Amino acid sequence: MKNASDTAVTNTFMILLLWAGLSLGGNLIAAPAKFQVEVVSLDDLLRIGRAQFAWLGVAEILFAIVFIGMCLIKKAYLSWTSIAALLILFLQQVGLQPLLQARTDLILADQPAPSSHLHLIFIATEIAKFFFLVWAAISLLRLSTLAKAP
């Protein structure tokens, strides 16, 4: 039978991996895949992307809140990798997303949008966040296993 500590580690591990899966599936696979559809206009794709990133952002923030809450309740250690993932999420939501939204607004309003590397920066931060989340989950499991070793 599992004790409360084992359950907390398992739940935290699952939250980190679910968050990583959301990041991979929603932001790194589905987002670029929709632009492969030739029968949908660019304006529609941008509107779909706006809704997609808004909802993914809400879901990621909820995962982050649950993760932080679980760490606080169990007085668990926040690894530097999980802190890095949280900081990247903050950077994306507060720094990059508003700039990308403004660029989308210009394109949808048929205004010239200046050339930008923001999408490449977002992709790089998303890849880094994904790896930090997976690394944090593996580290958590490893530390838990080491703590049980005789």
Side-chain angles (χ1 to χ4, degrees):
M1 185 167 170
K2 283 186 165 185
N3 64 30
S5 177
D6 289 343
T7 302
V9 168
T10 301
N11 290 344
T12 306
F13 177 78
M14 289 185 340
I15 289 295
L16 288 169
L17 288 185
L18 285 170
W19 181 5
L22 175 74
S23 172
L24 177 66
N27 293 328
L28 294 173
I29 296 174
K34 71 179 167 276
F35 287 95
Q36 302 300 309
V37 180
E38 296 174 6
V39 296
V40 181
S41 72
L42 177 62
D43 284 1
D44 288 340
L45 288 170
L46 291 173
R47 287 183 182 93
I48 292 166
R50 176 178 285 169
Q52 176 182 354
F53 283 106
W55 283 105
L56 286 168
V58 168
E60 284 199 73
I61 290 167
L62 289 175
F63 274 116
I65 289 168
V66 169
F67 171 71
I68 292 168
M70 291 172 80
C71 289
L72 292 174
I73 289 168
K74 293 297 178 183
K75 305 219 184 316
Y77 169 71
L78 279 172
S79 67
W80 72 268
T81 51
S82 59
I83 292 169
L86 291 165
L87 290 173
I88 290 171
L89 176 63
F90 180 79
L91 168 71
Q92 289 175 322
Q93 295 300 312
V94 175
L96 290 172
Q97 288 290 9
L99 296 173
L100 289 166
Q101 289 283 346
R103 192 166 192 285
T104 300
D105 290 341
L106 288 174
I107 294 169
L108 290 172
D110 287 328
Q111 301 292 320
S115 181
S116 169
H117 295 292
L118 290 174
H119 283 92
L120 295 176
I121 294 168
F122 186 86
I123 292 166
T125 60
E126 197 62 38
I127 291 168
K129 182 176 64 185
F130 171 78
F131 282 110
F132 282 132
L133 288 167
V134 171
W135 190 351
I138 292 169
S139 296
L140 173 70
L141 205 55
R142 188 171 152 264
L143 287 173
S144 172
T145 305
L146 289 174
K148 290 181 193 175

